[in-house]
Amino acid sequence: MFAAERRQLILEMVRANGAVSLRELARVVQTSEVTVRRDVRALEAEGLLDRRHGGAVLPGGFTRESGFPQKSHLATAEKTAIADLAAGLVSEGEAVVVGAGTTTQELARRLARVPGLTVVTNSLLVAQALAHANRVEVVMTGGTLRGSNYALVGSGAEQSLHGLRVSRAFLSGSGLTAERGLSTSNMLSASVDRALVQAAGEVVVLADHTKLGTDTMFQTVPTDVITRLVTDEPPPHDDRAETELQALADRGVQVAVAGSASTGRGRQDVPMPTPRRAAAQGGSPPPTHLRPTAAPGPRVADLAPRRR
């Protein structure tokens, strides 16, 4: 494929999806990430897109939200690795909140194997993944259906969460930065995500490396409320992504990096952190029986804060 053809295809993918990782671009155009990075730089010089932490986004800084059909085909190996790791944080008999998103949908498929689990969600896709699970109770919020991501939003969804308390919330979003935390491109989705956070003792963010350093319009979870980030291994030489991960760790977020099928990296277990959010609000941590125990087997990399 000639350079002009590659760059046109790259541009079309970014326009269709809003943000695409270098890894995904290289896979689609069937070339190396080094070549794709060179093409992305050329397109950026023409003002047609912006480079962003291991990927490319629409120009202008704030990425727009893609629909479910586009998102479901992006970074599939990375989402699988993240979901595998995040599922290990959930124990039998727990009650958790799972928000909307393609990564949280992957998590739900794995939670179907956890007996005695109660899952509260505003996502039809999450509910569908758990619909036939043995001994898993699914509690859905009310609200108005938002067709682009199959999620229930609006005042009905938010009101149904009042008075609810679970051990932790698993959320995704459109972007994550150390400075601003998790964000999304839609106001209604952001409002429901904030209500989901209020119902949880701890907040676990699921975000692949393409979302690191991406800032979108509506903040959902400030950095100091995020207990843990579960992400995938950034591409080699992606210093900006590594810098963002370290900045999040320095702000008190425990970072767990999962190996994806494309990297073949291993994993290491990390202990669950003390619930900062409950302590900050003067509340008590979740009951002991709701806290997960470290599962043997898979191992996950833990990124510790720098010594100051």
Side-chain angles (χ1 to χ4, degrees):
M1 187 182 293
F2 293 111
E5 294 173 326
R6 278 199 320 270
R7 291 172 187 176
Q8 182 60 35
L9 181 55
I10 290 170
L11 189 57
E12 289 173 0
M13 286 183 65
V14 174
R15 284 173 174 169
N17 298 293
V20 188
S21 70
L22 292 178
R23 189 178 294 160
E24 187 72 11
L25 289 171
R27 184 186 67 80
V28 172
V29 301
Q30 298 182 340
T31 188
S32 69
E33 288 187 30
V34 173
T35 300
V36 166
R37 188 177 290 109
R38 191 161 51 240
D39 291 335
V40 167
R41 284 177 182 150
L43 291 167
E44 183 183 45
E46 297 178 39
L48 298 174
L49 51 73
D50 289 341
R51 285 184 296 158
R52 185 66 58 83
H53 292 228
V57 302
L58 291 173
F62 291 98
T63 60
R64 67 173 178 82
E65 184 179 39
S66 307
F68 172 77
Q70 292 82 23
K71 288 181 178 179
S72 62
H73 293 97
L74 292 176
T76 52
E78 289 84 351
K79 291 172 184 175
T80 297
I82 290 168
D84 284 342
L85 179 55
L89 303 176
V90 182
S91 298
E92 180 176 347
E94 262 196 280
V96 300
V97 158
V98 179
T102 53
T103 310
T104 51
Q105 181 188 23
E106 285 296 321
L107 171 64
R109 290 175 177 143
R110 287 147 182 82
L111 295 183
R113 300 190 289 267
V114 182
L117 188 64
T118 299
V119 176
V120 181
T121 186
N122 69 318
S123 168
L124 298 187
L125 298 174
V126 168
Q128 182 184 42
L130 294 166
H132 301 292
N134 246 345
R135 297 177 58 196
V136 175
E137 183 178 3
V138 180
V139 179
M140 294 209 67
T141 69
T144 302
L145 178 62
R146 185 164 178 259
S148 62
N149 65 346
Y150 300 95
L152 297 170
V153 298
S155 59
E158 295 169 40
Q159 289 171 12
S160 66
L161 292 164
H162 287 171
L164 184 72
R165 190 66 173 172
V166 299
S167 58
R168 67 182 59 83
F170 292 91
L171 297 176
S172 189
S174 302
L176 178 66
T177 65
E179 180 180 357
R180 196 156 171 257
L182 190 67
S183 61
T184 188
S185 304
N186 181 267
M187 180 172 64
L188 293 175
S189 295
S191 188
V192 174
D193 280 355
R194 286 192 287 267
L196 292 172
V197 167
Q198 289 299 315
E202 300 172 352
V203 178
V204 181
V205 171
L206 311 182
D208 66 74
H209 71 272
T210 64
K211 296 176 182 178
L212 297 175
T214 298
D215 200 5
T216 51
M217 190 170 292
F218 300 99
Q219 182 192 57
T220 57
V221 190
T223 304
D224 60 0
V225 176
I226 300 171
T227 309
R228 171 176 292 193
L229 165 65
V230 183
T231 187
D232 65 294
E233 183 105 23
H237 313 300
D238 190 351
D239 295 334
R240 295 168 66 185
E242 294 291 348
T243 299
E244 194 71 43
L245 286 175
Q246 186 62 61
L248 286 161
D250 289 344
R251 295 285 295 269
V253 178
Q254 192 167 30
V255 180
V257 182
S260 70
S262 59
T263 64
R265 298 286 181 98
R267 299 182 278 185
Q268 297 180 334
D269 284 332
V270 282
M272 284 300 296
T274 302
R276 293 177 298 144
R277 181 174 174 275
Q281 294 181 346
S284 56
T288 303
H289 73 279
L290 290 182
R291 297 180 192 163
T293 56
R299 295 174 58 87
V300 182
D302 183 27
L303 188 59
R306 287 194 183 101
R307 294 180 179 272
R308 298 186 181 278

